[in-house]
Amino acid sequence: MSAFVHPDDIRSRFSAALSALYRAEVPQYGELLTLVADINAETLKRDAAGADRLAASGELARLSQERHGAIRVGTADELATIARAFAVMGMEPVSYYNLAPAGVPVHSTAFRPVDPTALARNPFRVFCSLLRLELIEDEALREEAAQTLARRDIFTPGARDLIEAAENQGGLDQDQADRFVAELLETFRWHAEATVSAQTYARLVAAHRLIADVVSFKGPHINHLTPRTLDIDAAQAAMPARGIAPKETIEGPPARACPILLRQTSFKALEEAIAFPGEAGATAGTHTARFGEIEQRGCALTPAGRALYDDALAKKDFSALPDDWEALRRGELAWFRYRAMPEGLAARASTVDLDAMIAAGHVVAEPITYEDFLPVSAAGIFQSNLGAEARQSAYAVDPAKADFEQALGRSVVDEMALYRAEQEASIAATLKALGLTETA
């Protein structure tokens, strides 16, 4: 057996292959990539200091390859198997998102790398939602949907074999890694042939467009693939001139001098031709699901910061949330990565007071990028692109995290624990570099 390919490399290969696939299937995605690249280049040219900060923190190197995708699966087995596939690529399920209270009948997690080094190599992430069949009120339709999902296998035999091989061997060699990427790509491919009749499809759409999207096809086609921009407001304004019709509003927090969490926009979902099976032969129809999305990532907020953000969102007033990096840091409202500066390494430090060392220019604190998602943003993107009616009353149920984790086959990772660990590790590394030991 030859040496195993690093999971980060497999993830990079898969991300690139998926991007090429989606570009071929959705030509406007290619235009979106060009637009984002242009906006990013202009932003970096305009803000040299910001470009230097991005380069120093490792953000610049990953910017052009950064993507997040989204898929929706229908059964516990599909979720558990996709989790095993993502594990081959070094991606773990982080956080739990219950979108039912927002009128979207799914709950979700985000598969992504969790180690800062792995994120720097390739931060590919996939927001994966599991359909909640129990939220289909029509009992007969619910049973028909369950039977339809039970008949399909969204994974090729080759993909299943290679997932098992990776688990048994502890990895994949070069040939296996290439075949794994090719086989798994089939799960994400668009299929224009529906697996249900036109009549059943219409009933599923009446229940919820997203239910129809999950149940009616051979697999969980990738429904968007999102590049990262440094200026989402500029991207939103530039979309119409590129022949792209943007959604009306940008999801997430307002524009700020110090960006926080995540802002997203997208172009409206495509109306795509599909064929429905029937006794007299296939009948033509259309389906609306796939769209193009752009994101701008800010810094990760601490639990205290998130509480302030949630309150600000509810009041539609963000004045209580400081728009200043030092205020966010001193107030312990955001997570930061600390790094010793050459001046600090040259000096003989005599204190472990980070505030004093930052003031002296011996240490720099860089905001940690938010790698996750916002439930409100996610629900807003779903609703605006699927034409979903507001159904808060119908789906206003308690979170079913335990059910989701049982289907997943493991617990989701706590995103706050990841950010806290990164901040604490950076402090320890900084003090060590300065020849200091942190005390209580």
Side-chain angles (χ1 to χ4, degrees), residues 22 29 32 36 68 70 223-228 239 262 264-267 291-295 373 377-378 381-382 385:
Y22 198 65
Y29 168 68
L32 206 64
V36 168
H68 96 242
N223 62 68
H224 63 269
L225 204 55
T226 305
R228 177 181 169 187
M239 286 167 75
L262 179 69
Q264 297 175 315
T265 190
S266 66
F267 64 69
F291 55 93
E293 186 177 85
I294 301 173
E295 67 183 14
F373 297 90
S377 251
I381 289 288
F382 275 144
N385 283 288

Side-chain angles (χ1 to χ4, degrees), residues 116 335-340 354 363-366 368 419-434 438:
W335 299 108
F336 284 82
R337 183 188 303 107
Y338 293 82
R339 181 165 52 88
L354 284 171
V363 170
V364 65
E366 300 158 338
I368 295 176
Y419 296 123
R420 180 179 291 107
E422 184 174 358
Q423 176 172 290
E424 291 176 351
S426 75
I427 291 172
T430 297
L431 294 179
K432 183 179 180 180
L434 296 171
E438 186 175 15

Side-chain angles (χ1 to χ4, degrees), residues 339-345 347 349 356-364 430 434:
R339 181 165 52 88
M341 298 295 285
E343 296 86 345
L345 296 172
M357 288 191 285
I358 289 171
H362 292 176
V363 170
V364 65
T430 297
L434 296 171

Side-chain angles (χ1 to χ4, degrees), residues 234-420:
Q236 173 94 342
M239 286 167 75
R242 304 289 185 109
I244 303 172
K247 67 187 299 294
E248 288 76 12
T249 58
I250 295 172
E251 302 286 341
R256 293 164 47 94
C258 302
I260 57 171
L261 300 175
L262 179 69
R263 302 180 75 206
Q264 297 175 315
T265 190
S266 66
F267 64 69
K268 297 295 182 68
L270 308 174
E271 189 173 272
E272 300 180 272
I274 57 172
F276 294 105
E279 292 181 3
T283 58
T286 60
H287 178 67
T288 303
R290 301 193 300 165
F291 55 93
E293 186 177 85
I294 301 173
E295 67 183 14
Q296 180 178 348
R297 292 190 170 269
C299 72
L301 298 181
T302 64
R306 280 300 290 261
L308 265 183
Y309 171 81
D310 291 343
D311 186 58
L313 200 64
K315 295 178 178 177
K316 298 182 180 179
D317 178 3
F318 283 79
S319 59
L321 191 60
D323 194 8
D324 175 82
W325 290 130
E326 189 60 10
L328 288 168
R329 189 188 69 81
R330 285 181 175 270
E332 297 185 352
L333 300 175
W335 299 108
F336 284 82
R337 183 188 303 107
Y338 293 82
R339 181 165 52 88
M341 298 295 285
E343 296 86 345
L345 296 172
R348 290 183 174 274
S350 59
T351 176
V352 294
D353 186 337
L354 284 171
D355 292 345
M357 288 191 285
I358 289 171
H362 292 176
V363 170
V364 65
E366 300 158 338
I368 295 176
T369 298
Y370 185 61
E371 305 288 353
D372 298 288
F373 297 90
L374 300 176
V376 174
S377 251
I381 289 288
F382 275 144
Q383 289 175 326
S384 63
N385 283 288
L386 291 174
E389 302 84 355
R391 302 188 179 186
Q392 281 81 351
S393 58
Y395 298 147
V397 295
D398 292 333
K401 183 179 180 182
D403 293 340
F404 183 86
E405 291 182 326
Q406 183 177 5
L408 182 66
R410 57 165 290 181
S411 298
V412 297
V413 179
D414 177 7
E415 67 178 66
M416 290 299 179
L418 294 175
Y419 296 123
R420 180 179 291 107

Side-chain angles (χ1 to χ4, degrees), residues 22-91:
Y22 198 65
R23 189 167 190 159
E25 292 182 345
V26 183
Q28 273 199 325
Y29 168 68
E31 187 60 41
L32 206 64
L33 294 183
T34 302
L35 182 152
V36 168
D38 291 345
I39 294 291
N40 288 349
E42 292 169 10
T43 304
L44 293 169
K45 185 177 180 180
R46 186 174 64 247
D47 183 8
D52 290 342
R53 285 194 300 271
L54 287 171
S57 64
E59 293 285 315
L60 194 57
R62 72 182 230 185
L63 184 63
S64 62
Q65 65 177 349
E66 185 155 355
R67 301 284 186 277
H68 96 242
I71 59 171
R72 305 152 187 163
V73 296
T75 69
D77 176 72
E78 290 177 358
L79 179 67
T81 305
I82 203 71
R84 293 168 60 205
F86 285 132
V88 176
M89 298 184 276
M91 300 163 70

